[in-house]
Amino acid sequence: GLLVGENNLVVRIEDTQKINNIYLHIGEVESGTLKPGMTIAAEVDAERRQDIMRNHTTAHLLHNALRTVLGDKAEQKGSYVGPDRLRFDFQHATALTQSEKEEIEELVNRRILENASVVTQILSIDDARKMGAIALFGEKYGDTVRVLSTGDYSIELCGGTHMKQTAPIGSFRLVSEESISAGVRRIEGVTGLSAFRLSRDQGEMITDIARELKIPASD
C-alpha cells in the first residue's frame, strides 16, 4: 500500500519484513520527503489485500480437504499465498488421480459455500495443542500463538491475514498438481475473480474449438 503525509509525501510500500520483532516497511518515496518524526498514514491496497485473504483462507480449506481425501499423512510442506494465486505443497507419495482432484476441489468449494466463520484466538502453545491445532513441522513458536479456526473442521496455527467468513472467497479452481521432490506434491489454484476468469476463458476456448470443428460444444 502507501504511506502518505504532509507536503505531498507518498511512499509506495512493496514489502514488509519482521526482524527481531520489529516490522520493517520497505518501499520507494514517490513524492515529497520522508523525515524522522513525521506523522504519516498507512493506506492498505484493499483489493489486493482481499485477494490475498481469499487465497490464504482457501489454503487452509485445501489443507483440510487433502487430509480428508488422502489421510492425515498429507501434511503441509510449504505454501505461497499472493493476490494472484495460491500454492500448497504437501506430503504424498503418488500423483493424485483425476477423481481425487475433483473430490478435493469440490470439498473446498462446499466449505466455501457453507459460509463458515473464520475465528482467531491468542492462546498458549499448550492450549493450542490441546485443541488439536495443526502446526508446521520445524516452525519456531513462542509461548503464545495465534490459532485460526475455520468452521468446525480446520484448526491451525497461523499469523497471516484471513477472511472473516468463507463465502466471500467466491469459488476455488484447482489449476495444477505436480511433483516437486520425492514424496512431496504441489497444488496451485485460484479463487475469487481469478477463478471466475479461468472458468470463463476455458468456456470461451471450448466454444471457439466447437465453432472451428462445427460440432456442439458438448462434443
Side-chain angles (χ1 to χ4, degrees), residues 40-197:
I40 55 177
E43 297 180 358
V44 173
D45 183 339
E47 183 175 350
R48 179 179 182 276
R49 172 62 67 88
Q50 283 285 322
D51 287 338
I52 293 171
M53 290 162 68
R54 286 187 180 94
N55 285 331
H56 200 168
T57 301
T58 301
H60 283 228
L61 298 178
L62 176 60
H63 191 191
N64 172 260
L66 287 166
R67 291 167 67 90
T68 300
V69 174
L70 304 176
D72 290 345
K73 290 184 178 180
E75 296 179 351
Q76 180 177 350
K77 293 299 179 183
S79 68
Y80 163 82
V81 286
D84 56 334
R85 62 193 168 94
L86 67 95
R87 185 179 72 217
F88 194 89
D89 302 339
F90 60 101
Q91 182 175 312
H92 195 61
T94 59
L96 302 189
T97 65
Q98 184 62 27
S99 62
E100 285 173 336
K101 288 188 282 189
E102 290 173 357
E103 186 178 358
I104 289 164
E105 186 179 56
E106 181 169 330
L107 182 55
V108 172
N109 280 288
R110 284 183 178 275
R111 299 300 197 201
I112 290 170
L113 289 173
E114 287 174 6
N115 197 26
S117 296
V118 183
V119 179
T120 59
Q121 298 172 276
I122 305 298
L123 301 173
S124 71
I125 187 67
D126 290 337
D127 286 342
R129 288 189 177 121
K130 289 175 184 176
M131 285 180 64
I134 296 175
L136 281 179
F137 178 77
E139 194 82 6
K140 293 181 179 179
Y141 297 102
D143 294 333
T144 58
V145 291
R146 186 167 180 259
V147 180
L148 189 100
S149 303
T150 306
D152 58 358
Y153 39 80
S154 174
I155 307 174
E156 298 192 34
L157 303 188
C158 184
T161 184
H162 284 272
M163 306 298 290
K164 300 208 178 291
Q165 304 283 144
T166 59
I169 292 170
S171 64
F172 165 71
R173 290 293 309 277
L174 196 161
V175 175
S176 65
E177 187 269 337
E178 61 182 353
S179 171
I180 59 169
S181 64
V184 179
R185 311 290 301 178
R186 170 172 291 173
I187 281 178
E188 294 208 9
V190 290
T191 63
L193 281 176
S194 294
F196 161 74
R197 289 168 182 148

Side-chain angles (χ1 to χ4, degrees), residues 1-4 9-15 25-31 43 45 48:
L2 301 174
L3 301 180
V4 296
L9 172 68
V10 177
V11 184
R12 182 168 298 280
I13 301 301
E14 301 294 345
D15 194 16
H25 292 74
I26 303 161
E28 183 175 350
V29 177
E30 293 191 341
S31 64
E43 297 180 358
D45 183 339
R48 179 179 182 276

